[in-house]
Amino acid sequence: MNVFLTQYDGMILGPIAKVLGFILQGIYSFFSFFSPDGNANVGVCIIVFTFIVNGLMIPLTIKQQKFSKLNTLMAPELQAIRDKYKNKKDQESITRMNSEQQVIYNKYGVSPTAGCLPMLITLPIFFALYRVIYNVPAYVPQIKEIYENIINAVTSSGVDLMEFVESVVVFVKGSDITSIKLSNPDLANISAQSISDVSGLINNIKVGITNGAFNEASSNYLVDVLSQFRGEHWTEFMKMNVFSSHSSVVNTISSSYNDLKGIYSFFGMNIMEVPRWNDITLSIPILAVVTQFISNKIMMKGNKNNNQNDSTAASMNAMNNIMPIMSGVFCFMFPIGVGLYWVAGSVFRIIQGIFINLYFDKVGVDAIAAKNVEKRNKKLAKKGIDPNSTRMQELANTRTSSIKNISTTNTSNISSNNRSSSKQDFYVNRDIKNGSIADFANMLNRDYVGSSSEDESKQED
């Protein structure tokens, strides 16, 4: 596994990780206050932390679900338009296709990017969460302090620091922690240095020793290395020759390890360890697969698209079936704490999805579409645009990125052709009930063909 030295300082994820780390620290402090020994259980903190962060993202989730529900209605109409212009690659046909698709989006009061925006926002949060969960000591000072007690004990005991560094590096190389990579910008000479280069690594870590003590950068690095230790590592670590005549250091290590066992223990599992095939830790990958699969099914309930030719829907279904399996595989690559975060997140989304589906079933898709149209009209009204005006309808038909350079005359001709051939060319969703809110919303589309009675009245006129 790799070590992320101290807190992550990336331009985008760094600030997000710091905010999320502050939340985790607050949760840990809260539970520590009620603990007899002053230490909280990190597994419980991760679950509460996951629920809080996912709770803060509920508005984005609801927005994405609204788009999914409306997309169920829009998909057949959009697919019919794509099929209509399937073999037409000229600019005029592309313009007409885009304008007709824009009418559909306007009819339901949504933006083509509405389904992507929530995902674009939640993805950085997810990756920042991963950084925090992966390296808890960097974001929870109370836990980091336990590791620093070991380093301070080594410094104050008179242990030769150069010898200690060499012993730690050799010990790490000899264990199964074989792919630690150094990337701390404060130690520029060891940037991307592999643990396999022991001699070079020793020399570079020694740079961080000044005046008989470790500076902050080298101390943080050692904390990150120690945080990768599992039970068997601690036992062997205390037996290193460098501590043979320093029993006080061994006692400090033993005491710190006992504290860490309580902090990292969750139902008999050490959340800093990687799951194995032959013990209870296997339950984490299994739960990750099962809970995510159930979560996907619940969130997609009612969003099935009957159009088998919709490649987007097919891709989404395939991804929803593959991702749970992939999450189970990834669980074997990361500490149990990361897998616990995935499981807790899926459980939260299952509960959330049940309530969101109940709400949408009660309100109805028609009402959702009507509210979207109402919001859109209010925004246009604030800009001084009458959403019901003929000019607004023309703008709705021509406002796409691919026709910015098309002349007004050409656009008018296209709109005219659309009006004259609406009964032949424009797709009508026959699943919309006559007189429903969605039927009323079609008034935004001048080419909409209403019920048969409306057609007959138009013919009589």
Side-chain angles (χ1 to χ4, degrees):
M1 64 185 71
N2 294 332
V3 173
F4 299 111
L5 299 178
T6 66
Q7 295 186 1
Y8 183 69
D9 292 325
M11 184 180 300
I12 298 176
L13 298 183
I16 300 175
K18 284 181 171 61
V19 172
L20 297 176
F22 182 77
I23 296 174
L24 181 60
Q25 179 188 347
I27 296 171
Y28 185 90
S29 299
F30 175 80
F31 284 109
S32 296
F33 182 78
F34 298 98
S35 175
D37 60 358
N39 295 321
N41 185 276
V42 174
V44 175
C45 291
I46 288 175
I47 294 175
V48 175
F49 173 64
T50 306
F51 272 56
I52 289 176
V53 173
N54 278 272
L56 294 174
M57 293 190 291
I58 285 179
L60 293 175
T61 304
I62 293 177
K63 185 174 182 180
Q64 191 170 20
Q65 281 298 97
K66 281 183 179 180
F67 179 82
S68 297
K69 297 289 183 183
L70 292 173
N71 189 56
T72 303
L73 290 179
M74 293 189 298
E77 302 181 45
L78 293 172
Q79 185 62 41
I81 293 174
R82 286 193 289 267
D83 291 342
K84 173 183 170 182
Y85 294 98
K86 185 175 182 179
N87 298 318
K88 299 177 182 180
K89 305 298 182 182
D90 59 284
Q91 185 63 50
E92 182 176 344
S93 296
I94 294 175
T95 300
R96 293 180 64 177
M97 182 182 71
N98 288 334
S99 65
E100 290 182 21
Q101 286 181 329
Q102 187 64 45
V103 169
I104 302 299
Y105 288 116
N106 289 343
K107 182 173 69 175
Y108 292 98
V110 298
S111 167
T113 59
C116 301
L117 183 59
M119 186 177 296
L120 292 176
I121 296 175
T122 56
L123 275 178
I125 296 176
F126 167 79
F127 287 118
L129 272 171
Y130 166 75
R131 296 283 184 175
V132 175
I133 299 298
Y134 195 96
N135 197 16
V136 173
Y139 295 92
V140 180
Q142 297 95 318
I143 298 178
K144 181 180 179 181
E145 185 178 344
I146 296 175
Y147 291 102
E148 289 179 331
N149 288 339
I150 298 174
I151 298 172
N152 293 335
V154 170
T155 303
S156 61
S157 67
V159 172
D160 186 285
L161 298 187
M162 297 294 186
E163 183 183 355
F164 171 71
V165 171
E166 293 177 5
S167 298
V168 169
V169 172
V170 172
F171 170 76
V172 169
K173 187 186 179 185
S175 68
D176 57 354
I177 310 176
T178 55
S179 61
I180 295 178
K181 295 181 180 179
L182 310 179
S183 57
N184 192 326
D186 294 328
L187 299 176
N189 291 334
I190 58 174
S191 176
Q193 175 69 50
S194 171
I195 194 71
S196 60
D197 186 3
V198 179
S199 58
L201 179 61
I202 292 174
N203 293 330
N204 287 315
I205 294 179
K206 288 177 180 178
V207 174
I209 302 176
T210 55
N211 300 324
F214 295 104
N215 62 17
E216 183 178 2
S218 59
S219 177
N220 285 338
Y221 168 72
L222 288 171
V223 168
D224 288 330
V225 171
L226 294 175
S227 68
Q228 305 298 305
F229 285 9
R230 298 194 290 270
E232 61 271 20
H233 294 141
W234 286 106
T235 303
E236 295 299 322
F237 181 65
M238 287 185 280
K239 295 179 181 179
M240 287 200 312
N241 292 333
V242 70
F243 301 139
S244 59
S245 59
H246 300 277
S247 58
S248 61
V249 177
V250 175
N251 291 336
T252 300
I253 295 174
S254 178
S255 175
S256 299
Y257 173 53
N258 288 331
D259 289 339
L260 292 171
K261 280 196 296 184
I263 291 173
Y264 290 136
S265 178
F266 187 78
F267 287 99
M269 299 178 290
N270 184 340
I271 64 171
M272 297 302 289
E273 295 184 6
V274 177
R276 293 185 288 268
W277 292 98
N278 57 351
D279 58 26
I280 191 176
T281 59
L282 180 62
S283 62
I284 295 299
I286 293 175
L287 286 173
V289 173
V290 173
T291 54
Q292 187 171 342
F293 184 80
I294 296 174
S295 172
N296 289 344
K297 289 296 182 183
I298 290 176
M299 297 300 283
M300 294 303 294
K301 181 182 178 182
N303 296 343
K304 292 182 179 179
N305 184 7
N306 294 326
N307 189 346
Q308 301 299 323
N309 294 324
D310 192 339
S311 57
T312 302
S315 299
M316 284 298 296
N317 289 333
M319 185 172 67
N320 288 334
N321 291 328
I322 293 174
M323 286 308 297
I325 299 175
M326 293 302 298
S327 66
V329 174
F330 290 148
C331 279
F332 287 100
M333 303 178 183
F334 304 116
I336 291 172
V338 177
L340 185 62
Y341 155 69
W342 285 338
V343 173
S346 295
V347 171
F348 181 91
R349 286 187 290 274
I350 290 172
I351 299 172
Q352 174 184 256
I354 292 173
F355 282 99
I356 288 178
N357 286 337
L358 289 174
Y359 170 76
F360 284 154
D361 290 342
K362 181 179 178 180
V363 173
V365 181
D366 289 340
I368 297 173
K371 284 184 179 180
N372 280 354
V373 173
E374 183 181 355
K375 287 181 181 179
R376 171 180 169 272
N377 290 346
K378 286 182 179 179
K379 288 181 180 179
L380 293 174
K382 286 182 180 180
K383 297 178 181 179
I385 301 173
D386 181 3
N388 297 317
S389 67
T390 303
R391 178 57 180 161
M392 185 61 229
Q393 299 305 315
E394 292 176 356
L395 289 173
N397 284 338
T398 60
R399 197 175 148 204
T400 57
S401 60
S402 63
I403 58 173
K404 287 182 179 179
N405 298 323
I406 303 297
S407 65
T408 304
T409 304
N410 194 25
T411 303
S412 299
N413 291 336
I414 294 169
S415 300
S416 232
N417 291 335
N418 285 342
R419 288 196 296 272
S420 63
S421 60
S422 61
K423 291 202 175 245
Q424 297 176 358
D425 296 335
F426 193 77
Y427 178 87
V428 178
N429 190 345
R430 296 299 182 185
D431 293 330
I432 296 177
K433 296 179 181 179
N434 183 31
S436 68
I437 298 296
D439 184 47
F440 176 77
N442 278 288
M443 288 194 302
L444 289 175
N445 171 24
R446 293 179 301 155
D447 295 329
Y448 173 67
V449 181
S451 64
S452 58
S453 60
E454 290 174 344
D455 294 343
E456 291 172 1
S457 63
K458 289 179 181 179
Q459 291 174 0
E460 290 176 0
D461 293 340

